[in-house]
Amino acid sequence: RPEVAFGVPVWSPRGDLIAFVRSKPTQAELWGISPDGSNLRQLVHGWAPCFSADGRWLYYWRLGVEPGGIARLPIDGGPAEFIRTGSGLELPAISPDGATLFLVGPMRSSMGVFGVGVAYVRASPPSGPGETIARVPGERLPARHLSLVISPDGQYLATLLIDGTTTNIWLLPTSGGPMKPVTDFGDQSVVIARSVSWTCTRSSAAM
């Protein structure tokens, strides 16, 4: 079915579920499947999945209901919980202790126009006011895709930024401070279009 696209798979830290996006031109859904290929099922209408550190909750951008915003679904059963309203499509990342929510989403210009750049926001508690910890111009986003993945120790957020003719992986400290690149592809034409993943250990990352 050429009109249906699949992508952005995210493994649960418990290792028992892979969440992914199934999208059509007018609709996006989050589906889940067991690692052995069994138990395929639709989870929610949403986008941008990420798991809590214990694998009990799936955080996502809620679709199909107004207003949009961030919700979380209990993986072991029960209804989704709405956490916060958003002003545009935002990608969530939750701290290991669940006390802080990180978001990356489009900034609005002084004239109310989206697309001038993105803001990285920290909210603690997750339903509380957001604090901007970094801003990036829109032209540095690879193919206009946002990316935000928190490290297992909760110290860094990994994101993708355009540097000249290539794309590099950058880290943003969750405590605030300057972003720093962790790859340098020089003049090579490298495209990392969607996301990265961290290893399970707290001391190293695979990107």
Side-chain angles (χ1 to χ4, degrees), residues 59-117:
Y59 289 76
Y60 63 98
W61 175 262
R62 185 175 72 164
L63 295 174
V65 180
E66 293 296 336
I70 303 299
R72 66 176 189 173
L73 177 73
I75 295 302
D76 296 323
E81 300 177 1
F82 188 61
I83 297 176
R84 62 184 297 124
T85 300
S87 59
L89 178 62
E90 296 174 328
L91 275 68
I94 190 73
S95 63
D97 61 4
T100 304
L101 182 69
F102 297 92
L103 303 164
V104 57
M107 292 190 298
R108 189 192 297 265
S109 72
S110 58
M111 299 180 64
V113 178
F114 284 111
V116 296

Side-chain angles (χ1 to χ4, degrees), residues 8-155:
V8 199
V10 181
W11 279 75
S12 164
R14 299 192 301 194
D16 60 347
L17 178 68
I18 302 170
F20 62 93
V21 175
R22 180 184 186 272
S23 64
K24 295 183 289 186
T26 60
Q27 186 176 9
E29 303 162 343
L30 292 181
W31 284 57
I33 191 170
S34 299
D36 63 1
S38 65
N39 200 22
L40 175 67
R41 62 199 186 276
Q42 181 183 341
L43 301 175
V44 289
H45 291 283
W47 191 265
C50 76
F51 284 98
S52 61
D54 59 10
R56 294 179 55 243
W57 297 93
L58 180 68
Y59 289 76
Y60 63 98
W61 175 262
R62 185 175 72 164
L63 295 174
V65 180
E66 293 296 336
I70 303 299
R72 66 176 189 173
L73 177 73
I75 295 302
D76 296 323
E81 300 177 1
F82 188 61
I83 297 176
R84 62 184 297 124
T85 300
S87 59
L89 178 62
E90 296 174 328
L91 275 68
I94 190 73
S95 63
D97 61 4
T100 304
L101 182 69
F102 297 92
L103 303 164
V104 57
M107 292 190 298
R108 189 192 297 265
S109 72
S110 58
M111 299 180 64
V113 178
F114 284 111
V116 296
V118 296
Y120 297 81
V121 175
R122 176 176 58 204
S124 185
S127 59
E131 172 195 3
T132 298
I133 57 176
R135 292 182 175 89
V136 171
E139 60 266 21
R140 295 200 65 194
L141 302 179
R144 298 292 174 179
H145 290 302
L146 304 181
S147 178
L148 189 70
V149 187
I150 195 167
S151 62
D153 60 9
Q155 294 186 22

